[in-house]
Amino acid sequence: MDHQEHSGRVLPFDVTHRLVLSIAIPMTLGFMTTPLLGLADTAVVGRLGQPDALAGLAIGAVLFDLIFASFNFLRSSTTGLTAQAYGRHDRHEQQAVFWRALLSALGCGLLLLLLSPLLLWLGVKLMGPEGGIADATRTYFSIRMLSGPAALANYAILGFVLGRGQGRIGLLLQTLINGVNIILAILLGLWLGWGVAGVAWGTLIGEAVGALTGLAIVLRSFSGEQRPARAELLSRAKLTQLFALNRDILIRTFVLIGAFTLMTRIGNTFGAVTLAANAVLMNFFLLSGYYLDGLANAAEQITGRSIGANYRPAFERGLKLTGLWSFGLALAAALFFFTIGPALIRLLTTSEEVRVAAETYLPWAAVTGLTGALAFLMDGVFIGATWSRDMRNRMLMSFAGYLVALAVFVPTLGNHGLWLAMNAFLLFRGIFLVMGLKKRADQTFRLAQ
């Protein structure tokens, strides 16, 4: 099928609850395997009875995650572009999007590998570990960085399968990566006694197994006659589009990380007990984030596919159904946390002071799923539509509103004001994006006709 055959044509498809959940549920389950990996790594090193090793593991993992979270744009942009090509039934462009994303991922991974000594030096300076803690940090980080090309390749592969609506394959790959990590962390780190190094090697092998498996699955779906030429892969126009898309998503990610970092930093000024209570309560937001992210993935795919198919009814139906599930589950989660929250707090901490403080601020954390539901959903829509410039600008507007909220509420309300500002930030993100939604949809579907 020629890749220009469907250009400008309307290609209808049905959007159902089953379609939404076929993407959202597997990805939610896949995301939930990631904390299990962190727990397993901590448990393995903790069983060795070496506090320095456990602290070094924690610092090394934070540094690695901070660096690689910045490259999530490789997943997001690939999903949006793939979904649009999928909606056009353009198998040729789907292959081209995949290869550009994979080459970008491998290039970024190799660059990070080359820069890893500098990044490690900066990380140690920033975090300030000393003695045995610093040694463990260096060991973990140096080995883990070897997985850079494979880890970023997994971003591109996951983005591609999500763009095609293959949520089950996404779950398979996430489970495989984290499952291999956990098994090898126990085998190498604990059974063979390699400690922190064993945990890091287990992670590296898990990423490599995931990348090779994902690549094999993707390549099996490609046909030779649809293979893009090298000149197409290196097309200046296409690479410029990809660069702009990735740049905007990267800026948006940095601002988001900055907002949560600022919350932690301000929370620290209220003392160790309040900071610990906030850390406990942030787990409630993270739990809500698992299903909200899954539904955002569904919104990405359906939005991109509907734009590629030039079929607005699917766009509007997808928005309605993903919104229904997002707000419905967010309301259920809020009620759950209001009811079960005190018991969860007691489970997460044994400190009575921290428990009392956490229960004081529990209502703010319980509603973060509700205040953040629209933001997650709109992020998915704008990523799927590749409206990255709007998403970037409105994130900057939201952050400006967040800074104002912090300046107004924190001096008068203390930690209550801090949580109020965070909920306001989540609301700002969703509201500012939805304000521009109709205009952008009108422009996009009009241009596609």
Side-chain angles (χ1 to χ4, degrees), residues 54-294:
L54 189 57
L57 169 69
I59 293 173
V62 166
L63 291 176
F64 184 89
D65 291 343
L66 182 63
I67 293 169
F68 278 77
S70 304
F71 286 86
N72 190 53
F73 61 79
L74 291 166
R75 203 278 306 159
S76 300
S77 62
T78 306
T79 298
L81 294 172
T82 301
Q84 292 182 21
Y86 183 76
R88 293 192 301 271
H89 297 185
D90 190 344
R91 295 182 180 179
H92 181 94
E93 181 60 17
Q94 287 177 52
Q95 287 197 38
V97 168
F98 173 75
W99 288 117
R100 288 189 202 103
L102 185 63
L103 291 173
S104 298
L106 293 175
C108 291
L110 290 172
L111 179 61
L112 286 176
L113 193 54
L114 291 173
L115 294 175
S116 60
L118 174 61
L119 294 172
L120 175 59
W121 180 80
L122 290 173
V124 170
K125 285 287 185 182
L126 176 67
M127 304 297 284
E130 298 179 350
I133 298 175
D135 291 340
T137 298
R138 293 188 182 96
T139 297
Y140 179 85
F141 187 85
S142 298
I143 297 171
R144 185 87 188 266
M145 285 299 290
L146 295 174
S147 71
L152 295 186
N154 283 321
Y155 286 6
I157 293 168
L158 181 61
F160 181 77
V161 299
L162 286 179
R164 291 165 58 92
Q166 298 170 318
R168 290 183 180 180
I169 294 179
L171 172 60
L172 169 66
L173 294 177
Q174 290 293 100
T175 305
L176 179 65
I177 293 168
N178 292 328
V180 170
N181 284 358
I182 291 170
I183 292 170
L184 289 181
I186 295 170
L187 177 64
L188 300 178
L190 194 58
W191 196 59
L192 294 183
W194 292 9
V196 170
V199 168
W201 280 112
T203 305
L204 186 156
I205 295 169
E207 295 283 5
V209 169
L212 291 174
T213 303
L215 188 60
I217 291 172
V218 169
L219 293 182
R220 283 187 61 188
S221 69
F222 287 169
S223 58
E225 62 269 20
Q226 300 293 342
R227 184 181 299 116
R230 183 182 301 177
E232 288 181 86
L233 295 180
L234 301 178
S235 163
R236 184 171 182 176
K238 292 289 187 181
L239 290 176
T240 299
Q241 177 195 24
L242 181 62
F243 173 78
L245 184 58
N246 287 339
R247 176 202 61 206
D248 293 338
I249 297 174
L250 177 62
I251 293 171
R252 171 250 181 204
T253 301
F254 279 152
V255 174
L256 190 58
I257 292 172
F260 287 104
T261 302
L262 190 56
M263 182 180 180
T264 302
R265 186 173 182 85
I266 294 174
N268 189 44
T269 65
F270 298 133
V273 172
T274 300
L275 181 63
N278 287 349
V280 168
L281 293 174
M282 278 303 293
N283 285 290
F284 296 174
F285 176 62
L286 294 175
L287 286 172
S288 299
Y290 292 135
Y291 66 79
L292 290 176
D293 259 338

Side-chain angles (χ1 to χ4, degrees), residues 1 47 52 113 119 123 152 154 179 182 188 197 259 287-288 331 333 343 362 415 418 423 427 446:
M1 184 181 298
R47 294 281 294 179
D52 285 358
L113 193 54
L119 294 172
L152 295 186
N154 283 321
I182 291 170
L188 300 178
L287 286 172
S288 299
L331 178 59
L362 172 61
N415 199 52
L418 181 60
N423 278 281
L427 284 171
R446 183 170 61 248

Side-chain angles (χ1 to χ4, degrees), residues 6-55:
H6 291 290
S7 179
R9 288 183 54 188
V10 176
L11 300 168
F13 65 97
D14 292 329
V15 177
T16 63
H17 289 284
R18 183 174 182 177
L19 175 62
V20 170
L21 297 179
S22 71
I23 301 170
I25 291 177
M27 291 317 303
T28 298
L29 294 174
F31 293 142
M32 290 178 70
T33 64
T34 300
L36 296 177
L37 172 62
L39 287 172
D41 288 350
T42 301
V44 165
V45 177
R47 294 281 294 179
L48 299 175
Q50 301 171 359
D52 285 358
L54 189 57

